[in-house]
Amino acid sequence: MDGNESQRMDRLEAVLRAAHAGRETPPVDPAMAASVLAAIKAEPAEEPAATGILWRMAAGAGFVAVATVLLALFWGSGLEEEIGRMLFYDPNGQVLVSMLGV
């Protein structure tokens, strides 16, 4: 947005603010306000339909996470062996140096 457009937007905003500030608000009929509130209170509060499926998906994701942890604990992922092999069987430390980004 260049300077000219910015000035135009600022002027438009100032005009709209002035028009809104000078506007008189009409009086509210108490009977109308009470009827609107009664209509709102009379409507049943519905729970979103997606709530049930979200809980089922969360339970499924939790089950998969627990199963993954148990599999890794009992059979191992082999990652720790690979890291140990890289660090301890590297006689001149080249892998360690490259891992540290030196």
Side-chain angles (χ1 to χ4, degrees):
M1 189 180 325
D2 63 349
N4 191 20
E5 282 186 45
S6 177
Q7 289 175 352
R8 287 176 50 194
M9 292 298 287
D10 290 341
R11 281 191 314 201
L12 178 61
E13 185 177 341
V15 168
L16 289 174
R17 284 183 191 269
H20 183 70
R23 187 178 71 155
E24 292 182 22
T25 57
V28 178
D29 182 26
M32 183 187 75
S35 68
V36 169
L37 285 174
I40 291 173
K41 290 178 182 177
E43 288 189 20
E46 296 179 11
E47 190 173 323
T51 304
I53 194 163
L54 289 178
W55 280 110
R56 288 193 297 260
M57 289 175 64
F63 177 74
V64 169
V66 168
T68 304
V69 167
L70 289 176
L71 283 173
L73 284 175
F74 284 112
W75 284 285
S77 63
L79 181 63
E80 65 277 357
E81 295 169 1
E82 291 297 321
I83 291 174
R85 189 174 57 82
M86 280 193 312
L87 293 177
F88 298 122
Y89 296 120
D90 185 23
N92 55 2
Q94 290 298 315
V95 174
L96 181 62
V97 169
S98 66
M99 285 175 60
L100 294 175
V102 178

